[in-house]
Amino acid sequence: MATSSKTPGPARVTFLDGRGEMPMVEITTAWSTAEIYLHGAHVTNFKKHDEPPILFLSQCSRFEENQPIRGGIPVIFPWFGAREGMTTHGFARLMAWEIKEIIPAPDGSVSVRFRLPNCPEAGTYPPLLAEYVVTVNESLTLELLVTNNSTDTNLEFEECLHTYFAVEDIAAVSIAGLKGHSYLDKVANFAKKKETDDAIRVTSEVDRVYLNAKGTVDIHDARLGRVIRVAKQNSASTVVWNPWMAKAQQMPDFGNEEYQQMVCVESGNVNVNKMTLAPGKSSTLKVTLSSLVE
Ligand code: BG6
């Protein structure tokens, strides 16, 4: 097994036409492979060489303009959830982001810096800069940097890295790290509840927004013998989502049975944890995904 103590081989960065002929970049390091589409700055794959993929990607996902990709890591910005007359989960996941820089580091890591281009949808917001840096090595690090470029107006926004994790069988999965936190239960009309479980199990539709939950979350996959760790900085919200059977059947871009192979554990700042940036100020939401074979 490759570890960080070994001398890393040279990393490789390849530009390709991906699915739907959409441009993507493939990164191979000594430890792992990642695929990122410019559409949404969307990471669709992160796989360590000696492990099954860490991210789930639906077999039925669309790869089309104006449609989100189903799986991987949708970048949700500048709002989370439904908004009247607007696209769900913000416009960032539907935009073609620009690549500003590709940075191969001496330690064998590769970072790609994306920038959200100006778009008419952003017109209702004060001038802002949104950048996204994806760093690939033994783990995957995601940083969403937002700057309020206005001189006189606060910038309010929500942000979320809506990560779909691959699991062998949802029946053998438990999610640890959220005990004691309050959450809004979207399946129960946004009722406010408190998490009492050390290890959350998914046995029906789950759609929960945990608030003021800043800690690390571990996804234990007993069937695969793997723990995926979601470590975060400057993220006060965690969303846990699995559509389960009935919702899966209603989603045109998701297989009827695929709810058994995924769970979303999303890191961000949403609802009461939304961000407010004073003029000239910046924020960075940072998430690192790693895995450990048990
Ligand atoms: C989750 C929401 O974050 O995303 C769910 O909490 C929603 O309510 C899910 O169904 C998927 O959203 P979408 O827009 O990608 O289908």
Side-chain angles (χ1 to χ4, degrees), residues 70 80 88-89 93 162 164 186 207 239 241 266:
R70 178 70 70 195
F80 176 84
T88 307
H89 284 337
R93 65 175 176 167
H162 190 310
Y164 288 73
K186 288 174 113 177
D207 195 352
V239 180
W241 180 61
E266 313 167 24

Side-chain angles (χ1 to χ4, degrees), residues 2-43:
T3 68
S4 49
S5 59
K6 283 190 181 171
T7 310
R12 204 172 61 231
V13 178
T14 316
F15 288 89
L16 296 165
D17 277 343
R19 302 198 202 176
E21 295 181 8
M22 295 182 120
M24 61 167 280
V25 53
E26 184 185 78
I27 296 159
T28 304
T29 68
W31 310 273
S32 60
T33 305
E35 291 168 14
I36 318 169
Y37 280 73
L38 272 58
H39 180 65
H42 199 125
V43 181

Side-chain angles (χ1 to χ4, degrees), residues 54-266:
I54 286 180
L55 301 177
F56 164 88
L57 177 64
S58 173
Q59 307 267 349
C60 306
S61 178
R62 298 163 170 142
F63 284 83
E64 288 168 27
E65 277 183 30
N66 297 316
Q67 295 290 346
I69 294 170
R70 178 70 70 195
I73 313 180
V75 177
I76 307 303
F77 175 82
W79 64 85
F80 176 84
R83 188 170 273 200
E84 213 185 321
M86 315 275 259
T87 179
T88 307
H89 284 337
F91 50 80
R93 65 175 176 167
L94 302 178
M95 299 289 303
W97 291 54
E98 294 160 2
I99 293 183
K100 298 310 289 178
E101 212 178 355
I102 296 184
I103 312 151
D107 68 358
S109 305
V110 176
S111 297
V112 185
R113 177 181 287 267
F114 294 89
R115 180 195 167 138
L116 184 67
N118 292 331
C119 61
E121 291 83 349
T124 53
Y125 284 80
L128 63 86
L129 172 67
E131 292 179 295
Y132 186 50
V133 181
V134 178
T135 300
V136 185
N137 46 47
E138 195 171 17
S139 52
L140 183 72
T141 300
L142 312 150
E143 292 162 278
L144 182 61
L145 302 89
V146 180
T147 303
N148 180 359
N149 279 338
S150 159
T151 51
D152 55 9
T153 312
N154 282 349
L155 169 63
E156 282 192 1
F157 63 92
E158 292 173 293
E159 57 185 346
C160 192
L161 301 177
H162 190 310
T163 312
Y164 288 73
F165 292 101
V167 298
E168 186 74 11
D169 178 357
I170 193 69
V173 168
S174 61
I175 300 162
L178 292 163
K179 189 179 180 184
H181 290 293
S182 297
Y183 64 91
L184 302 175
D185 190 349
K186 288 174 113 177
V187 175
N189 205 17
F190 286 83
K192 195 163 184 180
K193 300 183 179 174
K194 194 164 190 161
E195 186 56 70
T196 53
D197 287 342
D198 283 314
I200 301 162
R201 291 195 165 265
V202 178
T203 54
S204 59
E205 183 185 352
V206 172
D207 195 352
R208 301 178 183 174
V209 181
Y210 290 86
L211 301 166
N212 304 314
K214 298 183 176 171
T216 296
V217 176
D218 282 341
I219 304 165
H220 294 262
D221 184 339
R223 191 65 55 80
L224 197 60
R226 176 167 80 177
V227 184
I228 297 174
R229 174 155 291 181
V230 183
K232 51 189 203 155
Q233 287 169 29
N234 298 322
S235 160
S237 320
T238 293
V239 180
V240 178
W241 180 61
N242 181 297
W244 211 248
M245 218 175 287
K247 271 261 168 71
Q249 286 171 7
Q250 290 162 19
M251 289 158 55
D253 57 348
F254 189 83
N256 287 354
E257 309 296 331
E258 285 185 324
Y259 69 92
Q260 297 174 55
Q261 269 88 57
M262 57 72 68
V263 65
C264 284
V265 174
E266 313 167 24

